[in-house]
Amino acid sequence: MTPALLCVAAYVAGSIPFGLVVARAKRVDLRAVGSGNIGATNVARALGKPWAIVVLLADAAKGFAPVVLGRHLGLPARDVALAGLAAIVGHMFTIFLRGRGGKGVATSLGVALALSPPAALCGLGLYVVAYALLRLSSVGSLLGIWSFPVFATLLGGLARPYLVLATAVALLVTARHRQNIARLLRGEEKKT
């Protein structure tokens, strides 16, 4: 498999809106509920936590699979990083919803788990603690996404292209959270 083909496949797989698919199967229009987002947090609001976990795992798998496959094929770190980025961008700007998509947190988690499980689990742990204390998924998501490159650097062993990817993804996810950040600054962000 060539790097270009892996990136295209990663983008298409990343574009599958699992939250929307699950909600439609339950006869719910996810984009008309809660925040209108297609991710696991809004699925939790609309359908409950068990379905949110299903969506979280499916969205994470979209990021995990292309990175693991690229590494298994022995592709250079740069190409594997691009495949991971393609999956995340696919989730954020899905071809199946005319370029509209989710915020990329779960898919980013999948990529992170494939690159450095210890650093990814540390970031996930930070999310869990922040969410448990504040009940604000956006705060936990942002802390988790930004902590991954920090933990990966502290733990060592991650190639430079992966650290560049982690930082670029943190910037993208933060940009996708701009409305949440504005609500946080105004004290209007809804707890889940």
Side-chain angles (χ1 to χ4, degrees):
M1 177 178 284
T2 66
L5 184 56
L6 178 61
C7 286
V8 170
Y11 175 79
V12 173
S15 287
I16 300 169
F18 285 112
L20 204 59
V21 170
V22 167
R24 280 191 182 160
K26 304 293 277 177
R27 301 179 198 269
V28 173
D29 181 1
L30 195 59
R31 291 174 291 181
V33 177
S35 66
N37 192 274
I38 65 168
T41 300
N42 206 38
V43 170
R45 289 185 191 107
L47 303 174
K49 289 183 181 176
W51 286 111
I53 292 169
V54 169
V55 170
L56 173 74
L57 293 174
D59 283 346
K62 297 187 303 190
F64 185 84
V67 172
V68 168
L69 179 58
R71 292 179 104 179
H72 176 73
L73 293 171
L75 296 179
R78 181 196 67 213
D79 295 334
V80 175
L82 287 173
L85 180 62
I88 294 164
V89 169
H91 179 79
M92 291 178 171
F93 307 100
T94 169
I95 55 171
F96 301 118
L97 299 175
R98 297 183 181 145
R100 298 183 64 148
K103 294 179 179 170
V105 176
T107 308
S108 298
L109 174 62
V111 170
L113 283 166
L115 293 176
S116 174
L121 292 173
C122 286
L124 178 60
L126 189 56
Y127 167 88
V128 169
V129 169
Y131 181 76
L133 293 174
L134 303 172
R135 289 304 208 218
L136 294 169
S137 184
S138 57
V139 172
S141 296
L142 291 169
L143 287 173
I145 206 82
W146 278 103
S147 70
F148 175 73
V150 174
F151 286 125
T153 300
L154 292 174
L155 294 169
L158 206 59
R160 185 162 194 239
Y162 299 140
L163 292 173
V164 171
L165 167 68
T167 304
V169 167
L171 289 168
L172 276 172
V173 170
T174 300
R176 296 293 284 180
H177 278 82
R178 63 189 178 279
Q179 293 177 346
N180 300 84
I181 293 168
R183 286 193 297 269
L184 283 165
L185 293 173
R186 294 192 306 265
E188 298 172 358
E189 181 75 332
K190 293 179 182 175
K191 298 185 176 186
T192 54

